[in-house]
Amino acid sequence: MQLYPADAEARLGFDTIRARLRAHARTPYGAERVDALTPSADRREVEQRLQRSGEMQGVLGFDAPLPLGGADDLRPLLRRVAPKDAWASGEDLAAVLHALAMLRRLHGYFESRHEKYPGLWGVAQHIVPLPDLEKHLARIVDEQGRVRDDASPELLRLTRDLATRQARLRETLLKALRDAIARGFATEDQPTVRGGRAVIPIRAEAKRRVQGFVHDVSASGQTVYVEPAAVLDLNNEIRELEVARRQEIERLLRAASSHLRAHRDDVSESLDALGRLDLFAAAGRLANEVKALVPEINDDGIVRLVRAKNPVLLLHVRAEAERRRAEGEEGVTPREVVPLDLVLGEDFNTLVITGPNAGGKSVALKTVGVLALMAASGLPVPAAPGTSLPLFTRVFVDLGDRQSIQEDLSTFTSHLAALRRMLDEADARSLALIDEAGTGTDPAEGGALAQAALARLTAQGARTIATTHHGALKAFAHETPGVENGSMQFDRATLAPTYRFQAGVPGSSYAFEIAARVGLNPEVVGEARALVGEGQTALEDLVATFEAEVQAAEAKRAEAAVRAAEAERLRADYEARREQLRADRDRLRAEAVAEAEAIVRAANAEVERTIREIREAEAERETTREARVRLDALREDLATRKEKLARRQERARRAHGAPVAEGPVGVGDHVRIEGSGAVGEVVELTAREAIVAVGAMTTRVRRDRVTKVGGPRAERKERRAPVAAPLTSLRARTHVDVRGQRVDEAIPEVMRLVDEAAAAGVPSVEILHGKGTGALRQAVHAHLAARNDVAHFEAAPWNQGGDGVTVVTLR
């Protein structure tokens, strides 16, 4: 992708994005990748970058912590150890050891998640784990770069011998010093070192009274430093051991450097992959910071922004809020950035945006430009789903004042130079952004030049956005095919901008209204209106009135949408209540039938008992027959009533489309019982029978007499059933709200929720932690990732809380 002029990135604010991206990099390799990042017009390359940036968003937002931290730049060291006899210091080898451990952990992290993050695994698999080199270096040096005493048997022996000699030396020196003090030859009570030799301080006048060698004299000349003859041999032995120990350390460092030299290419390749992963991690952090998503890339040249926000403005208001909080202000939250909905390249290729000063025209233009550069660089953009962007081969930016004394360029001349470049090179895969078109010269002539240039760019197929105050360009946009008006809304009541873009509507500059509002002399404002002319004033008033009517219509449409949504909610609530009432009615009827059956069974038992007593009393046969006839009639009446109830239930289910579900019947499924038509929940299964709960009753039926009509409910209502539920299920919660709590307060509450849910067999829970800075969410995710009973966790759908809610699925 070619950018014009050379500072186009800075004009659109992409330099701010790059700087923030660099701040998110953790390694010098990633920072270099950020500096070298350039927008591309290659769709395959861009989509690959976007995929990896999007995957990294998920890693950083919902997965276990990424094992990618700080690292030193090892490339100069790898160049230094390239010659055969070169060797590295212990500190250098410790830096290599740290990098190797991080590379190994990164490789394992993405290898275990290669199906979840295939794009990132494609990068991470270029990391070459070197466990043998890592183990070898770990045996030689510690984390601070000190060579370990046990790095070799010889070094261990030398170290121990040296310690033994030094202990003997100190003991001997202290004895000699105490003797000298007792004889009045010395006053200080501690030995010291001069010229690398252990000595004792002796008064100058007594130096010949102590056997030994004078190594130094104090500045005053009153003290001499004598090496007693008794420690001469010990000092010599210590010097020899120290030399031997340094030689052994050097030998070990040379050997370790030789191992590193043998793997230079593998380490270099791994560091290159580390830089790429760090770049995508920085992109993921930035995306999460500005609530960005991976946009769709299209080949149709259509710019479609859905609730897009300018990322530079988002970072600015966030930094401003943090600064105010740091200064002690309480309750500070970032200002809301007004989103932009815009389509370019579908019904028209050129958009002319008008409206008042400081109304957001330039911000809208910059938003389109910076998002186009971000997408082409493989960075997610702060927008809503449905956002789609093309990849431009050229982006032309005429934004800001480029006048130059050195080059003898005026503002108008600089605009003409940019316009000439656009007209010479722009085509259907170009984006041209022109701020304040036609300014810097006579308004009539400037407007005419701008109109002619926009007409030519439209004919060449370039996607063009121009902001202007020229009234002639509003008429041009209205009358010319392929060109459309747009404006930034303005509240006429408060004379304040709303920063909302509206397509198809030209905007008024509101110059006279704003002048009057700021207190300009009313007579001057009136004279200015008269000088403009009645026709121009009437036209501006007409545009302003039309704009106000459009805003009013938009407000009514939004209000109607809210009412429609509320009506739909009420309708759904009514339907749910109606279904609940029907279910309750059928349940009560079924319970009544069951109760009647119980009464009949009791009555039948009583009748049988009576008959038995009659027989025993030798009653007449006719009396017994009549009793049995009455009993049979009672049974038949009850059966008829039960059959009618079952038919009504079946008709109700058919009327509401109760389908037959696929798959085998399992515990928890909802089934219809053949014959009775009753629907219940399977609470137990045997090889031949199913125990089904229907309302408050349970019944045992053959498995071939039940038909599956639905799976288990997400949340089962409490019911009486023969199979006792665990007591904890009666108390288990399914969600917790920890917003506003500190991490140390929230984590125990979250863990308690998961423990209760796991014990109760609840399939999933929700944690409402809010969005905020993301620190609480990350802490919650880190603890969830460490639990064996958590199968999965992710952010809730956007319409159910999004990043502010985590849904946890339990095993």
Side-chain angles (χ1 to χ4, degrees):
M1 178 184 288
Q2 298 178 357
L3 303 179
Y4 177 86
D7 62 347
E9 282 193 3
R11 291 175 180 274
L12 294 174
F14 190 74
D15 60 333
T16 301
I17 302 301
R18 190 187 296 275
R20 189 59 181 168
L21 199 62
R22 201 179 199 281
H24 281 306
R26 297 290 187 265
T27 69
Y29 321 105
E32 286 185 9
R33 288 274 180 176
V34 170
D35 293 340
L37 184 65
T38 55
S40 172
D42 186 326
R43 177 167 182 169
R44 181 178 180 183
E45 177 185 357
V46 169
E47 288 186 334
Q48 189 177 63
R49 291 183 190 175
L50 285 171
Q51 177 193 0
R52 290 167 176 169
S53 297
E55 288 178 357
M56 193 63 83
Q57 268 191 279
V59 169
L60 298 171
F62 308 110
D63 216 318
L66 181 68
L68 195 162
D72 294 335
D73 189 350
L74 301 180
R75 291 167 296 188
L77 169 62
L78 294 177
R79 290 191 291 269
R80 287 203 308 272
V81 300
K84 181 179 180 181
D85 295 329
W87 55 284
S89 67
E91 291 80 1
D92 287 340
L93 295 179
V96 174
L97 180 60
H98 170 73
L100 291 176
M102 183 169 64
L103 289 167
R104 170 176 49 79
R105 289 193 295 268
L106 273 173
H107 183 275
Y109 184 95
F110 287 110
E111 184 179 30
S112 64
R113 297 165 171 82
H114 66 275
E115 294 182 355
K116 191 175 182 180
Y117 309 119
L120 292 175
W121 170 239
V123 178
Q125 65 185 352
H126 289 285
I127 294 176
V128 182
L130 298 170
D132 292 339
L133 176 60
E134 190 178 344
K135 291 177 182 177
H136 181 79
L137 295 181
R139 286 196 300 269
I140 302 298
V141 297
D142 60 18
E143 293 181 355
Q144 285 72 41
R146 296 187 294 263
V147 176
R148 298 181 181 277
D149 291 339
D150 59 350
S152 72
E154 177 64 11
L155 182 60
L156 182 61
R157 183 189 67 78
L158 290 171
T159 301
R160 289 175 174 173
D161 287 350
L162 183 60
T164 300
R165 299 296 194 285
Q166 288 173 337
R168 287 172 55 192
L169 173 65
R170 183 168 181 80
E171 182 181 347
T172 305
L173 278 174
L174 288 173
K175 183 176 181 300
L177 182 59
R178 286 193 296 269
D179 183 61
I181 293 172
R183 297 170 63 186
F185 300 156
T187 58
E188 298 182 29
D189 58 355
Q190 286 295 327
T192 185
V193 176
R194 287 291 187 273
R197 310 284 289 190
V199 297
I200 59 176
I202 300 295
R203 295 180 187 275
E205 61 271 20
K207 63 182 179 180
R208 300 188 184 281
R209 309 288 297 274
V210 177
Q211 293 184 347
F213 299 91
V214 176
H215 283 275
D216 200 0
V217 180
S218 68
S220 64
Q222 296 180 0
T223 303
V224 295
Y225 297 94
V226 178
E227 179 183 5
V231 300
L232 178 62
D233 291 339
L234 278 175
N235 264 328
N236 290 338
E237 290 176 11
I238 288 173
R239 293 292 294 272
E240 291 173 1
L241 286 172
E242 287 175 344
V243 170
R245 187 173 185 276
R246 283 197 300 270
Q247 291 175 342
E248 177 63 11
I249 288 175
E250 181 178 332
R251 185 190 71 80
L252 291 169
L253 293 176
R254 286 182 181 277
S257 300
S258 177
H259 276 75
L260 174 60
R261 185 181 306 115
H263 295 285
R264 280 180 67 246
D265 293 340
D266 290 338
V267 174
S268 296
E269 182 179 356
S270 297
L271 293 178
D272 182 70
L274 173 62
R276 296 167 65 191
L277 288 173
D278 194 18
L279 168 63
F280 293 124
R285 293 187 186 97
L286 176 64
N288 287 336
E289 183 177 19
V290 298
K291 301 297 186 292
L293 56 72
V294 174
E296 177 188 348
I297 301 299
N298 68 72
D299 294 324
D300 304 324
I302 298 175
V303 176
R304 179 176 288 105
L305 302 183
V306 181
R307 297 191 62 77
K309 296 183 178 181
N310 189 294
V312 179
L313 192 55
L314 286 171
L315 292 174
H316 171 72
V317 299
R318 183 187 182 97
E320 182 185 34
E322 290 177 354
R323 177 188 59 78
R324 291 172 59 192
R325 282 195 291 265
E327 292 176 354
E329 292 189 46
E330 297 182 358
V332 177
T333 57
R335 291 183 291 113
E336 183 64 28
V337 175
V338 178
L340 173 66
D341 291 284
L342 183 148
V343 178
L344 177 68
E346 188 172 57
D347 298 325
F348 53 88
N349 291 339
T350 300
L351 176 64
V352 177
I353 304 178
T354 52
N357 287 318
K361 300 189 300 298
S362 297
V363 173
L365 182 143
K366 289 182 179 181
T367 300
V368 175
V370 74
L371 295 194
L373 295 187
M374 288 181 69
S377 301
L379 304 177
V381 300
T387 295
S388 180
L389 290 163
L391 297 176
F392 297 105
T393 55
R394 297 182 181 88
V395 175
F396 302 94
V397 180
D398 182 16
L399 180 68
D401 189 355
R402 298 183 61 225
Q403 61 179 331
S404 170
I405 295 176
Q406 291 81 5
E407 299 180 12
D408 194 25
L409 290 177
S410 68
T411 300
F412 181 62
T413 306
S414 68
H415 283 307
L416 288 181
L419 204 56
R420 182 188 63 188
R421 184 74 175 264
M422 293 181 193
L423 294 174
D424 289 344
E425 300 180 12
D427 57 19
R429 294 198 65 188
S430 300
L431 175 64
L433 304 174
I434 308 170
D435 194 33
E436 300 295 347
T439 58
T441 187
D442 178 79
E445 295 176 354
L449 279 173
Q451 179 175 325
L454 292 177
R456 178 61 62 88
L457 289 171
T458 303
Q460 291 173 195
R463 283 20 178 194
T464 306
I465 301 178
T467 68
T468 185
H469 285 285
H470 284 287
L473 292 182
K474 302 175 188 178
F476 162 73
H478 179 70
E479 297 169 353
T480 307
V483 186
E484 183 61 272
N485 270 305
S487 62
M488 307 307 294
Q489 290 183 355
F490 195 76
D491 190 334
R492 295 191 70 182
T494 62
L495 293 182
T498 66
Y499 305 109
R500 296 192 178 278
F501 173 77
Q502 52 187 2
V505 181
S508 172
S509 296
Y510 291 96
F512 298 134
E513 289 84 352
I514 296 175
R517 179 63 180 269
V518 299
L520 197 64
N521 190 311
E523 294 182 1
V524 174
V525 176
E527 290 176 6
R529 285 183 178 273
L531 289 172
V532 168
E534 294 183 2
Q536 180 64 26
T537 302
L539 175 61
E540 287 296 319
D541 288 343
L542 180 62
V543 169
T545 301
F546 178 56
E547 184 180 359
E549 290 178 352
V550 169
Q551 291 183 33
E554 180 65 20
K556 289 182 178 179
R557 186 200 64 78
E559 182 182 357
V562 171
R563 290 183 177 179
E566 178 64 15
E568 176 60 25
R569 187 191 65 78
L570 291 174
R571 186 199 65 78
D573 184 61
Y574 167 75
E575 289 293 335
R577 289 173 181 272
R578 186 177 66 173
E579 288 302 316
Q580 184 62 45
L581 288 173
R582 288 180 174 176
D584 290 344
R585 181 195 63 190
D586 291 344
R587 176 179 56 79
L588 290 172
R589 287 180 176 176
E591 291 176 353
V593 170
E595 185 178 356
E597 287 182 337
I599 294 173
V600 168
R601 284 195 297 271
N604 185 54
E606 180 64 23
V607 169
E608 292 294 340
R609 185 184 62 79
T610 303
I611 291 174
R612 185 171 61 255
E613 291 177 352
I614 292 173
R615 286 178 175 174
E616 291 173 355
E618 295 183 352
E620 295 183 1
R621 189 178 301 272
E622 183 61 25
T623 303
T624 303
R625 187 185 64 78
E626 291 177 357
R628 289 188 178 277
V629 168
R630 288 194 303 271
L631 180 59
D632 290 341
L634 180 59
R635 287 174 175 169
E636 184 178 350
D637 179 60
L638 184 60
T640 302
R641 290 168 57 192
K642 185 176 179 179
E643 185 178 354
K644 288 180 179 180
L645 175 61
R647 285 199 298 268
R648 284 198 298 270
Q649 291 175 332
E650 184 65 23
R651 284 197 301 269
R653 277 188 296 275
R654 290 176 178 175
H656 292 86
V660 175
E662 297 180 355
V665 174
V667 174
D669 288 338
H670 285 71
V671 296
R672 183 168 55 244
I673 301 174
E674 181 183 343
S676 70
V679 174
E681 181 179 353
V682 177
V683 296
E684 186 178 344
L685 281 174
T686 65
R688 309 178 73 176
E689 293 182 322
I691 299 176
V692 182
V694 181
M697 303 181 303
T698 58
T699 182
R700 187 183 298 272
V701 296
R702 295 197 312 272
R703 293 187 64 160
D704 60 357
R705 289 189 56 215
V706 296
T707 303
K708 182 178 178 180
V709 297
R713 295 184 185 274
E715 298 181 9
R716 298 180 184 173
K717 296 182 179 179
E718 183 183 346
R719 65 166 188 271
R720 291 170 294 177
V723 180
L727 292 178
T728 52
S729 68
L730 300 177
R731 301 189 300 270
R733 299 170 294 164
T734 59
H735 69 279
V736 67
D737 185 350
V738 295
R739 289 177 297 178
Q741 297 184 16
R742 298 193 306 273
V743 171
D744 57 350
E745 296 173 336
I747 293 303
E749 187 70 17
V750 171
M751 294 300 103
R752 193 177 304 113
L753 169 73
V754 177
D755 290 340
E756 292 176 1
V762 175
S764 66
V765 295
E766 292 183 355
I767 303 168
L768 178 57
H769 44 65
K771 299 179 180 178
T773 63
L776 179 56
R777 178 189 64 194
Q778 292 179 4
V780 169
H781 288 182
H783 281 77
L784 291 174
R787 292 188 64 113
N788 294 328
D789 51 2
V790 173
H792 176 66
F793 57 88
E794 60 185 357
W798 66 269
N799 59 347
Q800 296 178 20
D803 292 340
V805 178
T806 295
V807 179
V808 184
T809 303
L810 300 175
R811 299 186 187 278

